[in-house]
Amino acid sequence: MTKSLQSIGVDTALRLAQIDPRQARQRYSVVLERTVCELNGESCLELDETWQPRQQIMCSRSFGEKLTQYADLKENVCEFAARAAEKLRRDKQLAMVVNVFIRTSPFDKTGPHYSNTATGTLTQPSSDTRKILDMAIRLFDMVWKDGYRYAKAGVMLGDFCSPDDVQLNLFDSQKGRHENEALMKVIDTINHAGEGKIWFGGQRPQKDWFMRQANVSPAYTTRWSSIPEVK
């Protein structure tokens, strides 16, 4: 509608804000009427109306040092799975699909290259960290190969649905489901008060595998020690 608006002298946001909203609705659409009202400070859409849940959740990281041991890489995959499950609960969603990938660095010239991914489907949509961890470990075992220097791994959750839309099967216990949800809620509450206070057995307590940040830009606005000194 750009040409049509320009034909009546509307070529800037200011001039659009000055036209009659009723004229915008009659001549164009209700969407343009709302735009005019919004430009004049009148809220037409609530924030929760514009928010859309995520379609997938990805947790991955490049490692500061190449990993060659099964146990080390498995701990990282468990950490990513736990984080993804926590984000899933924060969004009040359940996931049906779990994806795990591992790969070496394409720039590493010291060894062979390898990249693989595996996808699994849960029996029921869930945000329970234990179920997601169990699936992630099984998928990791499918793609793991010895003899490589791994540089990155990740876990992705997909095929989301609302907890209200879950169809239980004949053998599901509603009581057990509520107990699992309550347990996850307690864990999240404790960890949000101080991250890392509770973790699952597969996770690594010490987060010493993060990417190197020796050359990261200084935090000028949030750290006193990063403020430049003029002498």
Side-chain angles (χ1 to χ4, degrees):
M1 64 182 72
T2 301
K3 292 182 179 180
S4 179
L5 287 170
Q6 289 177 342
S7 68
I8 62 174
V10 177
D11 55 0
T12 66
L14 175 61
R15 291 179 178 175
L16 178 61
Q18 293 171 342
I19 70 173
D20 186 350
R22 291 173 296 178
Q23 178 188 358
R25 183 187 184 102
Q26 293 171 358
R27 186 164 182 173
Y28 298 99
S29 67
V30 66
V31 176
L32 188 63
E33 178 193 23
R34 289 177 176 176
T35 302
V36 173
C37 292
E38 291 275 1
L39 288 172
N40 285 280
E42 179 183 344
S43 178
C44 298
L45 288 176
E46 297 294 333
L47 290 177
D48 58 352
E49 291 184 38
T50 60
W51 179 84
Q52 294 293 329
R54 286 181 278 192
Q55 300 300 310
Q56 63 182 27
I57 291 176
M58 167 78 79
C59 285
S60 66
R61 188 68 61 95
S62 296
F63 309 129
E65 296 181 357
K66 303 298 187 295
L67 301 182
T68 60
Q69 300 300 314
Y70 170 86
D72 293 336
L73 196 57
K74 178 183 174 183
E75 286 178 344
N76 295 323
V77 169
C78 289
E79 177 70 20
F80 297 142
R83 288 188 178 186
E86 183 179 347
K87 292 181 180 180
L88 188 65
R89 293 192 293 272
R90 196 179 306 159
D91 286 354
K92 295 181 173 57
Q93 295 273 74
L94 304 179
M96 191 72 178
V97 173
V98 180
N99 177 279
V100 172
F101 74 87
I102 57 175
R103 68 174 176 84
T104 60
S105 172
F107 309 104
D108 187 2
K109 299 180 181 179
T110 62
H113 294 170
Y114 174 72
S115 177
N116 204 350
T117 182
T119 302
T121 303
L122 300 173
T123 55
Q124 287 287 329
S126 178
S127 62
D128 191 317
T129 300
R130 296 167 299 176
K131 294 181 179 180
I132 293 174
L133 273 175
D134 180 66
M135 176 61 73
I137 292 172
R138 282 189 280 162
L139 295 173
F140 172 69
D141 288 339
M142 294 169 58
V143 298
W144 161 262
K145 280 189 177 182
D146 197 7
Y148 293 93
R149 290 161 45 86
Y150 292 99
K152 189 173 184 179
V155 174
M156 184 176 70
L157 305 180
D159 195 5
F160 296 165
C161 69
S162 168
D164 298 329
D165 299 333
V166 177
Q167 179 66 47
L168 301 178
N169 63 43
L170 183 63
F171 303 102
D172 280 329
S173 168
Q174 192 73 14
K175 178 182 177 182
R177 179 186 172 193
H178 291 324
E179 290 176 348
N180 293 339
E181 291 174 354
L183 174 61
M184 293 298 112
K185 185 175 181 180
V186 170
I187 292 175
D188 290 341
T189 300
I190 295 174
N191 286 342
H192 290 165
E195 186 178 358
K197 290 187 177 180
I198 291 183
W199 60 85
F200 290 83
Q203 295 174 256
R204 175 177 291 190
Q206 286 95 16
K207 309 299 189 296
D208 55 357
W209 43 266
F210 288 118
M211 67 178 71
R212 293 176 182 171
Q213 296 181 324
N215 298 319
V216 70
S217 300
Y220 295 117
T221 60
T222 58
R223 187 177 302 158
W224 287 107
S225 60
S226 296
I227 298 177
E229 297 181 7
V230 180
K231 298 182 179 179

